[in-house]
Amino acid sequence: MIDVEEGFTVTEVFDTRTLAEAPVISAPDGSAVRPLCVLPGAGSFAHFRLEPGEIAKAVVHATVQEIWFVVAGDGRMWRRQEGREDEVDLRPGVCLTIPLGTEFQFRSGTVALEVVAATMPPWPVESDDEARPARGPWQPTF
């Protein structure tokens, strides 16, 4: 632990990762995810990918919320929360939120969809039920 100034303490060392070195794991929704950096207690960052024509399972998170930014490809995102629904075209440069308690599902279009996302608080890797099944508009391919 390093005291930086009165009332502020740094408890973690720097974290640096490359996308190429990150392991590819299957997210609960079926997408390929590469976990990247984590700030314990604050947030985590990851890269998600769906191949052309793939449709993720619809899910709702139990404890986390996310901000997504599309970096490549195309697709659609469906979200539902408290009776409100919307669908959003996904293309490079689109940024969107998935607030706590939002059911969501996403799909790729004609090319692979790639998204980076910040998760707050960090994704609970020890939890098997963070992403709970939901009913989305599309039949998943996983």
Side-chain angles (χ1 to χ4, degrees):
M1 195 175 314
I2 305 166
D3 288 327
V4 177
E5 57 185 71
E6 188 176 326
F8 182 77
T9 305
V10 176
T11 58
E12 296 296 320
V13 296
F14 299 122
D15 189 6
T16 303
R17 314 244 173 137
T18 67
L19 184 59
E21 295 169 340
V24 179
I25 61 173
S26 181
D29 60 28
S31 62
V33 62
R34 290 180 182 250
L36 296 166
C37 294
V38 176
L39 285 170
S44 57
F45 199 73
H47 177 273
F48 298 87
R49 181 181 173 98
L50 286 179
E51 295 301 327
E54 288 183 334
I55 303 170
K57 297 174 190 172
V59 297
V60 59
H61 293 154
T63 66
V64 302
Q65 51 193 344
E66 296 180 326
I67 299 174
W68 285 29
F69 184 78
V70 180
V71 295
D74 64 82
R76 299 272 298 163
M77 166 69 78
W78 166 84
R79 298 175 286 187
R80 176 173 51 211
Q81 184 185 51
E82 298 177 1
R84 293 183 319 218
E85 286 188 51
D86 79 344
E87 282 191 32
V88 177
D89 286 327
L90 300 176
R91 63 187 182 285
V94 170
C95 186
L96 60 87
T97 62
I98 302 173
L100 184 60
T102 300
E103 298 170 293
F104 69 98
Q105 185 178 28
F106 64 110
R107 65 185 303 161
S108 63
T110 58
V111 296
L113 176 66
E114 296 187 45
V115 174
V116 292
T119 302
M120 296 146 295
W123 185 265
V125 290
E126 67 285 345
S127 174
D128 291 332
D129 64 348
E130 175 60 38
R132 298 175 182 164
R135 177 174 276 158
W138 309 301
Q139 180 66 38
T141 56
F142 299 99

